[in-house]
């Protein structure tokens, strides 16, 4: 029990602490009001097309994804259209923070430079960390050189910070890529010939794990890499329908050989997901994405023969809560 003297002393301290607390609380409140609120933890499948061809308008567009976790955004792959799709998903481009490229096919990296530029045009003033396999620095440097006149003109004329200094470009290989107090990101080299620097990516957050297969042929080690993941976002190929792509290509025989050597048939996607014991399988990067007369039900049937778990057929701008 407090004595009267101790009570008065404690009360005085409490009053002083309360006054300081009100000031600190006010500052925190002010900071909280200016900090961006990116909404719930989620995956947004921005672009779900496999390959760079644009045959049926802007949907589906090439590969791009947005992960938001604990108010931090992570963009995975930057195929053509990623900037517009981010805006359509209600993401403010100036909030860009992390970018990851799985490999250097154009349907995964074509809009890397433009995404950074478009974020800068929309008021980006904070650093962006970009990660990609060998060649990532060359990709960035090529864009800076191509847009040097415009960037330097806007720095001088509009008082913008130097975009080239805001974007830190990192090249990664297999293993851990990034470790912060919010996430651990790691890479597994997959099988996507003739590209050797092609990777699956795993994002481990407190309590949730999300794995992206990247572009790959059937690759059994991916099952161990994705073990127990909450979401496995896996590319998928519908074998009966790939003739559509082959017929549309002047080098039909080479294209057919490439598709079979570099992508994963639906039945093999299930083998990976089943062995990994993932909680939810998300099909994306469809090969083909726009073949006539191919329905959602055909994709479902190709997987449901053996997959009994949760299944999502990703669509552009679909949001999957984490």
């Amino acid at each position: 029990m407090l004595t009267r003297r101790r009570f008065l002393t404690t009360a005085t301290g409490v009053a002083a602490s309360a006054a300081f607390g009100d000031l600190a609380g006010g500052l925190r409140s002010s900071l909280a009001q200016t900090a961006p609120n990116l909404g719930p933890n989620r995956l947004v499948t921005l672009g779900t097309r496999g390959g760079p061809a644009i045959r049926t308008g802007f949907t589906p567009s090439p590969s791009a994804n947005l992960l938001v976790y604990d108010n931090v955004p992570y963009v995975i792959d930057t195929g053509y259209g990623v900037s517009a799709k981010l805006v359509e998903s209600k993401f403010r481009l100036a909030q860009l923070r992390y970018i990851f490229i799985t490999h250097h096919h154009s349907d995964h990296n074509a809009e890397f430079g433009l995404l950074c530029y478009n974020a800068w045009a929309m008021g980006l003033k904070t650093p962006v960390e970009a990660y990609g396999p060998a060649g990532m620095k060359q990709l960035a440097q090529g864009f800076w050189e191509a847009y040097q006149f415009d960037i330097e003109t806007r720095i001088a004329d509009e008082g913008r910070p130097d975009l080239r200094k805001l974007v830190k470009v990192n090249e990664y290989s297999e293993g851990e890529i990034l470790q912060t107090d919010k996430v651990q990101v790691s890479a597994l080299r997959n099988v996507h010939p003739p590209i050797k620097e092609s990777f699956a990516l795993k994002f481990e957050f407190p309590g949730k794990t999300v794995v992206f297969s990247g572009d790959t042929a059937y690759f059994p080690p991916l099952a161990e890499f994705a073990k127990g993941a909450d979401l496995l976002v896996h590319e998928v190929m519908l074998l009966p329908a790939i003739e559509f792509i082959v017929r549309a290509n002047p080098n039909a025989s080479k294209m057919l050989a490439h598709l079979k050597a570099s992508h994963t048939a639906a039945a093999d996607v299930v083998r990976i997901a089943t062995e990994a014991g993932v909680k939810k399988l998300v099909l994306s990067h469809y090969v083909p994405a726009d073949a006539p007369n191919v329905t959602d039900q055909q994709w479902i049937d190709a997987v449901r023969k053996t997959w009994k778990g949760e299944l999502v057929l990703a669509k552009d701008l679909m949001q999957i809560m984490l």
Side-chain angles (χ1 to χ4, degrees):
M1 180 181 294
L2 289 175
T3 64
R4 185 171 184 275
R5 177 177 296 175
R6 286 181 63 199
F7 173 79
L8 290 173
T9 302
T10 302
T12 302
V14 168
S17 297
F20 179 78
D22 288 345
L23 176 61
L27 289 172
R28 284 194 299 270
S29 176
S30 176
L31 289 171
Q33 289 174 5
T34 59
N37 180 2
L38 303 185
N41 298 336
R42 66 197 185 281
L43 165 68
V44 186
T45 53
L46 300 165
T48 58
R49 171 184 293 277
I54 304 295
R55 283 184 286 262
T56 55
F58 202 51
T59 299
S61 58
S63 187
N65 300 276
L66 170 67
L67 266 178
V68 174
Y69 203 92
D70 198 14
N71 218 38
V72 179
Y74 309 83
V75 173
I76 299 91
D77 283 331
T78 57
Y80 172 68
V82 62
S83 299
K85 289 297 176 75
L86 282 166
V87 171
E88 284 188 69
S89 75
K90 309 303 181 185
F91 177 81
R92 291 181 57 244
L93 294 182
Q95 296 169 343
L96 192 64
R97 181 68 185 88
Y98 290 102
I99 299 172
F100 295 84
I101 304 295
T102 58
H103 68 290
H104 291 303
H105 261 146
S106 64
D107 53 323
H108 296 259
N109 73 4
E111 204 168 304
F112 164 70
L114 280 174
L115 173 58
C116 296
Y117 179 92
N118 290 336
W120 183 65
M122 294 300 294
L124 177 74
K125 296 180 180 179
T126 50
V128 173
E129 291 191 51
Y131 296 83
M136 189 69 185
K137 291 182 179 180
Q138 182 181 0
L139 178 70
Q141 186 59 34
F143 183 84
W144 303 148
E145 291 175 3
Y147 281 74
Q148 178 180 351
F149 174 80
D150 183 275
I151 291 171
E152 292 181 355
T153 298
R154 293 187 187 280
I155 290 171
D157 189 47
E158 302 172 13
R160 297 180 183 274
D162 192 333
L163 174 61
R164 298 162 294 191
K165 294 179 180 179
L166 285 179
V167 181
K168 180 184 178 183
V169 179
N170 307 273
E171 293 187 346
Y172 70 81
S173 189
E174 196 167 52
E176 183 179 293
I177 300 174
L178 174 67
Q179 174 80 59
T180 72
D181 61 344
K182 293 179 180 290
V183 68
Q184 178 178 319
V185 185
S186 52
L188 174 72
R189 183 177 277 102
N190 56 26
V191 179
H192 192 51
I195 297 177
K196 295 180 179 179
E197 298 300 304
S198 177
F199 296 89
L201 296 178
K202 176 163 59 176
F203 292 76
E204 296 177 89
F205 304 102
K208 293 288 181 181
T209 298
V210 181
V211 175
F212 297 86
S213 71
D215 281 17
T216 183
Y218 173 58
F219 186 51
L222 180 58
E224 183 60 33
F225 185 68
K227 203 76 171 180
D230 295 273
L231 290 183
L232 171 60
V233 184
H234 205 299
E235 71 131 74
V236 62
M237 178 170 59
L238 191 63
L239 285 172
I242 62 173
E243 289 183 6
F244 167 71
I245 299 177
V246 174
R247 288 197 304 271
N249 193 285
N251 302 309
S253 60
K254 291 202 72 171
M255 176 58 72
L256 181 62
H258 162 73
L259 293 175
K260 289 185 174 180
S262 303
H263 296 285
T264 309
D268 288 329
V269 172
V270 173
R271 293 169 69 184
I272 295 295
T274 300
E275 187 175 339
V278 300
K279 296 179 177 65
K280 185 177 292 186
L281 174 60
V282 180
L283 300 182
S284 190
H285 194 277
Y286 298 102
V287 181
D290 57 0
N293 304 319
V294 172
T295 65
D296 286 354
Q297 192 60 50
Q298 285 173 273
W299 291 103
I300 293 170
D301 290 344
V303 172
R304 278 298 184 203
K305 293 175 182 177
T306 48
W307 175 250
K308 306 305 178 186
E310 289 191 59
L311 175 66
V312 176
L313 265 63
K315 303 290 185 183
D316 286 18
L317 298 175
M318 179 179 283
Q319 301 202 27
I320 302 169
M321 296 301 141
L322 297 174

